[in-house]
Amino acid sequence: MNPRPGSPRLRWALALAVALAIGAAAGAGAYALTSHHSSSPSASPVVVPAQPASSTSTVDSLTQLYKQDAPGIVDITVQSNSSAGSSGGFPFGNPGGSQKQKAEGTGFEIDTKGNILTAEHVVDGATSIKVTFEDGSTAKATLVGTDKSTDTGVIHVDLPASRLHPLALGNSSSAEPGQNVVAIGSPFGLAETMTAGIDSATNRTITAPNGFSITGAIQTDAAINHGNSGGPLIDVATNTVIGINDQIESDTNDSAGVGFAVPIDASKSVAQTLIAGGTVQHAWLGVGLARVGAARVTKVVAGSPAAKAGLKAGDVVTSFNGQTVSSADDLSAAVTAAKPCETVGVTVQRSGSTKHLSVTLGVQPKSASS
């Protein structure tokens, strides 16, 4: 699986989710493996100088956190059949057409029943999944379900509760810039690697494997690289998982200190639905928005809820479901928080006048290009 160079200048590529989706950042994708399972980068490895730890926690406290959490974090090895045009281990594709692949990512235990949370793109198209635990033991895993819209996946191992060490899930909604965090995962196949940093920013918007927007993402300077995908971003103060490491922004395709984690609040809800055997659905408005400034509609998808409600290109959305909207991200977050088939009020500015519209939201299609 060949890494695709990151395209920072394309992060604001249009996605017809509800708003502008941050485009395909160079990601912490599944790490490609050779056919004989040895860890081998697809290009000459680049040695990145170690970054000073942003955390003010003592070495002893981070050491203790690692000892507590590492047993609950697993290395995931996946074999899959990938073909051109599929997500192919988003955000890294396989331009060579259909072929068998082996790749490596990260996951973490969330209960004593054997359920493991990871990123959807780590297990996308998997024909077999193997997990390796901290003590070196392995187990075959089965796929419970995935959700491309939040890049969330759940796999399951059939093991006794005594062998499992679930991590505590926190609340990403309370994350703040400056909080000390650590990431634990398998960068470049180096399982159980911990890196430290801070929450650099919150409420970022990144792009899901299906092209829709993931809102509320946490930005961090804790080093994240290929193979970290699906691993936990842990708040040091509470020792709880606040995000799933997912993407990086980089000109070199390696960590530049700008990583993104899917907010755990979104993934928790998805995981609960998948484990219960339900179907995950997301609300859909069906517009594209301008990159900067106000939430200005640039395109309305034909037949979408927005089109049926009378939204037009050029409209500036100022309110959605009673919430003030001042940017594309505001609108995207508001739609994400809504439910499919819910009827909401939308206020827009059009040609100098204010219009109040009623929109019945739809169910998000499989991809933003649908």
Side-chain angles (χ1 to χ4, degrees):
M1 187 158 50
N2 297 320
R4 184 183 62 201
S7 302
R9 294 163 190 82
L10 299 181
R11 293 186 71 239
W12 286 97
L14 182 65
L16 299 175
V18 300
L20 211 54
I22 292 182
Y31 181 57
L33 298 178
T34 64
S35 59
H36 49 79
H37 295 267
S38 64
S39 299
S40 175
S42 56
S44 298
V46 177
V47 178
V48 180
Q51 302 178 32
S54 299
S55 173
T56 57
S57 300
T58 66
V59 172
D60 285 345
S61 68
L62 290 182
T63 300
Q64 186 61 34
L65 183 150
Y66 183 86
K67 289 179 179 178
Q68 291 176 2
D69 292 353
I73 298 168
V74 301
D75 180 85
I76 300 176
T77 304
V78 172
Q79 180 160 331
S80 63
N81 292 319
S82 179
S83 59
S86 71
S87 64
F90 166 90
F92 299 107
N94 172 36
S98 179
Q99 66 179 46
K100 290 185 177 180
Q101 296 188 90
K102 289 187 177 75
E104 188 169 15
T106 306
F108 55 98
E109 301 160 19
I110 56 174
D111 58 32
T112 55
K113 298 179 180 179
N115 292 306
I116 294 172
L117 201 54
T118 186
E120 184 276 340
H121 73 260
V122 169
V123 294
D124 178 44
T127 56
S128 68
I129 306 171
K130 183 182 77 172
V131 300
T132 302
F133 299 92
E134 183 199 27
D135 62 5
S137 63
T138 63
K140 179 181 178 180
T142 55
L143 183 65
V144 175
T146 63
D147 176 46
K148 288 183 179 291
S149 294
T150 57
D151 202 5
T152 300
V154 179
I155 60 176
H156 181 269
V157 291
D158 188 13
L159 292 173
S162 60
R163 289 194 53 193
L164 300 171
H165 305 273
L167 274 61
L169 304 184
N171 298 300
S172 50
S173 59
S174 61
E176 295 181 337
Q179 287 182 212
N180 299 317
V181 294
V182 296
I184 305 178
S186 302
F188 302 113
L190 299 170
E192 305 296 341
T193 296
M194 180 170 75
T195 55
I198 61 170
D199 286 347
S200 303
T202 57
N203 295 319
R204 296 300 196 196
T205 300
I206 58 177
T207 300
N210 60 3
F212 285 104
S213 299
I214 300 176
T215 61
I218 299 170
Q219 181 182 332
T220 181
D221 67 348
I224 297 173
N225 284 289
H226 316 304
N228 272 114
S229 272
L233 184 69
I234 302 169
D235 174 40
V236 173
T238 60
N239 194 11
T240 59
V241 179
I242 58 174
I244 300 178
N245 298 318
D246 196 69
Q247 298 178 22
I248 61 175
E249 186 75 20
S250 174
D251 288 327
T252 64
N253 230 18
D254 297 320
S255 176
V258 183
F260 301 96
V262 173
I264 198 63
D265 291 355
S267 294
K268 274 192 296 188
S269 176
V270 167
Q272 289 169 356
T273 300
L274 293 174
I275 292 169
T279 300
V280 179
Q281 293 184 328
H282 301 278
W284 183 54
L285 180 59
V287 300
L289 300 176
R291 169 184 172 180
V292 295
R296 182 179 298 277
V297 176
T298 59
K299 183 175 182 178
V300 178
V301 179
S304 68
K308 294 175 181 178
L311 269 77
K312 298 181 179 180
D315 287 350
V316 176
V317 180
T318 59
S319 176
F320 180 91
N321 201 19
Q323 300 179 46
T324 299
V325 171
S326 58
S327 67
D329 282 353
D330 285 350
L331 181 56
S332 185
V335 175
T336 297
K339 298 178 180 179
C341 304
E342 182 178 359
T343 299
V344 300
V346 178
T347 303
V348 302
Q349 291 293 319
R350 179 185 299 167
S351 301
S353 62
T354 300
K355 294 189 176 296
H356 301 282
L357 307 174
S358 180
V359 181
T360 299
L361 298 171
V363 177
Q364 194 179 90
K366 291 184 177 180
S367 72
S369 59
S370 298

